[in-house]
Amino acid sequence: MSKTSKLALIPVMLCFFAMGFVDLVGIASNYVKEDLQLTDSVANIFPSLVFFWFLIFSVPTGMLMNKIGRKKTVLLSLVVTVVSLFLPLFGENFPIMLCAFSLLGIGNALMQTSLNPLVSTVMGGGNLASTLTFGQFIKAIASFLAPYLAMWGATQVIPSFGYDWRVLFGIYFVIGIIAAVLLGVTPIEEERIEGKASSFAECIKLLGTPIVLLSFFGIMCHVGIDVGTNTTAPKILMERLGMTLNDAAFATSLYFIFRTIGCLTGSFFLRVLPNRTFFIISVVMMALSMCGLFIGTEKWMLYTAIALVGYGNSNIFSICFAQALTSMPEKQNEVSGLMIMGLFGGTIFPLLMGFASDAIGQAGAVIVMAIGVIYLFTYVGKVKN
């Protein structure tokens, strides 16, 4: 790898950190719920809204990359993300938060679709897999820092903020600007892309291929469980153990800590174990977690369950993505766009979980996530070693 490529990796990795900003939606929606006195079903609109935009923007982003290039598309995603982080600093009323979370979702949809191909451009094909894995590790740092920053803001007097969890938005706003400036001034040579990106209709037709359709649903379940745990774990601790939101926010960080460990160790296990074996182990861990979250009333049991789903869910996306991608090597761009659309699962699950928890408590939300785990068991037979 050239010296230029090495220097380009610094802003690119900072962009992965910015990609992790989307995961603040879990803890932020809990604070908004408390501050605005919302029900679970209304509060869960926020994480659902964030992931709704993956359904709309993933394929158009691929078409946009062909026109303006990968670097400019990532820069556009950073601009949208920075604006989304700036809005809550003006206030916390319902319309402002709706707008902020919508822009956060749009920015992240643009970034998820364009940043990985940009890494491929920077690396020139060398050590791509390990670089992407490291990028996911950097992303996870932003994910599990978010609850701590929100807790810190809510319990410490901060100049210009006072006691306010929204200092989280201010900190990530500054980091987002730094990432955009560094990427903007870094020269990255891109090859001209021939042809045009696939249309929305052409991508949808691929769902007629069974493995693509089943992998799409697998990714929907993975993201739904991911966002669902991120949002619901603190609520379970508050409901069962009587914790305050500031204390219960640790549950979100615990989930992302074990998900980060899973990302780092999973790349090793996937080399030494058959893919199907590791997938089964992962889903069994998630199933045990759902049992713990459903019946647990002790802190140790609930923390263990959160850790299990964090580790178990950490490699589901990569396995499902790889199964779909290798099944149609001549249509990899189209399949990639379709799999990113599967992140729309982060919209459906929180909505259903919100209604279920309003009806019968947080156990209802766990039942919705458990349905996703059951589906992943049915997917086991499709995983090739």
Side-chain angles (χ1 to χ4, degrees):
M1 186 169 61
S2 68
K3 185 176 179 181
T4 302
S5 295
K6 289 179 181 178
L7 291 175
L9 269 180
I10 296 173
V12 167
M13 287 300 136
L14 196 54
C15 290
F16 270 101
F17 189 89
M19 188 191 288
F21 293 172
V22 73
D23 290 320
L24 66 79
V25 65
I27 191 60
S29 64
N30 281 296
Y31 276 104
V32 173
K33 177 195 171 187
E34 187 175 82
D35 292 348
L36 301 183
Q37 298 295 299
L38 306 175
T39 62
D40 273 340
S41 53
V42 174
N44 279 15
I45 288 174
F46 293 114
S48 295
L49 193 60
V50 166
F51 288 91
F52 167 76
W53 299 108
F54 285 93
L55 180 68
I56 307 298
F57 280 95
S58 56
V59 173
T61 300
M63 300 168 71
L64 180 66
M65 277 193 291
N66 273 6
K67 290 184 178 181
I68 68 173
R70 293 167 178 174
K71 176 183 169 181
K72 287 182 179 178
T73 306
V74 175
L75 282 171
L76 176 62
S77 75
L78 285 168
V79 170
V80 176
T81 300
V82 164
V83 173
S84 77
L85 296 168
F86 187 58
L87 288 178
L89 302 181
F90 286 102
E92 197 187 351
N93 62 53
F94 196 75
I96 285 179
M97 299 310 291
L98 276 180
C99 187
F101 282 108
S102 291
L103 289 174
L104 183 63
I106 293 170
N108 205 259
L110 293 169
M111 199 179 303
Q112 292 262 20
T113 310
S114 58
L115 186 54
N116 287 339
L118 183 63
V119 173
S120 177
T121 299
V122 171
M123 296 301 297
N127 297 316
L128 178 59
S130 60
T131 305
L132 290 175
T133 300
F134 185 70
Q136 290 298 312
F137 169 68
I138 297 296
K139 173 182 179 287
I141 294 174
S143 299
F144 73 73
L145 277 180
Y148 282 113
L149 291 173
M151 284 186 286
W152 174 66
T155 56
Q156 302 291 325
V157 177
I158 302 163
S160 301
F161 280 92
Y163 292 103
D164 199 329
W165 66 273
R166 286 178 298 148
V167 69
L168 164 66
F169 288 98
I171 294 170
Y172 280 178
F173 168 74
V174 172
I175 296 174
I177 290 176
I178 294 171
V181 170
L182 285 180
L183 182 64
V185 300
T186 301
I188 297 176
E189 293 293 328
E190 297 185 48
E191 291 184 8
R192 187 172 181 83
I193 300 173
E194 299 297 330
K196 64 181 182 68
S198 296
S199 69
F200 188 86
E202 288 169 331
C203 278
I204 293 299
K205 285 180 182 177
L206 294 178
L207 289 175
T209 306
I211 184 60
V212 175
L213 179 64
L214 295 174
S215 298
F216 177 81
F217 285 140
I219 287 174
M220 286 187 71
C221 290
H222 154 75
V223 178
I225 294 166
D226 179 66
V227 179
T229 305
N230 184 4
T231 305
T232 302
K235 297 175 184 175
I236 292 175
L237 295 181
M238 293 163 68
E239 179 185 85
R240 310 267 177 85
L241 304 178
M243 286 186 175
T244 65
L245 178 54
N246 286 333
D247 290 334
F250 171 71
T252 303
S253 284
L254 180 65
Y255 171 76
F256 283 115
I257 287 168
F258 275 87
R259 197 178 140 192
T260 304
I261 294 171
C263 286
L264 288 176
T265 58
S267 59
F268 167 74
F269 287 126
L270 285 169
R271 286 199 300 268
V272 299
L273 289 175
N275 285 356
R276 183 179 296 174
T277 301
F278 188 63
F279 188 86
I280 292 171
I281 293 171
S282 297
V283 180
V284 167
M285 292 175 74
M286 294 167 71
L288 292 172
S289 167
M290 294 301 113
C291 294
L293 291 174
F294 187 77
I295 65 172
T297 55
E298 300 288 334
K299 183 186 290 188
W300 69 267
M301 183 182 290
L302 293 172
Y303 279 0
T304 300
I306 294 166
L308 281 172
V309 72
Y311 192 96
N313 202 28
S314 58
N315 293 283
I316 299 297
F317 177 87
S318 59
I319 295 174
C320 291
F321 196 96
Q323 296 302 311
L325 217 59
T326 55
S327 70
M328 303 188 72
E330 76 286 357
K331 294 281 186 180
Q332 287 196 352
N333 287 341
E334 292 88 340
V335 172
S336 294
L338 202 54
M339 293 303 106
I340 294 297
M341 280 177 60
L343 298 181
F344 177 64
T347 292
I348 297 173
F349 273 70
L351 282 177
L352 296 176
M353 290 167 67
F355 290 119
S357 60
D358 278 344
I360 61 173
Q362 298 306 323
V366 176
I367 291 172
V368 175
M369 289 194 291
I371 293 171
V373 176
I374 291 170
Y375 173 80
L376 292 174
F377 271 114
T378 70
Y379 184 79
V380 167
K382 303 298 179 182
V383 179
K384 296 180 180 179
N385 293 321

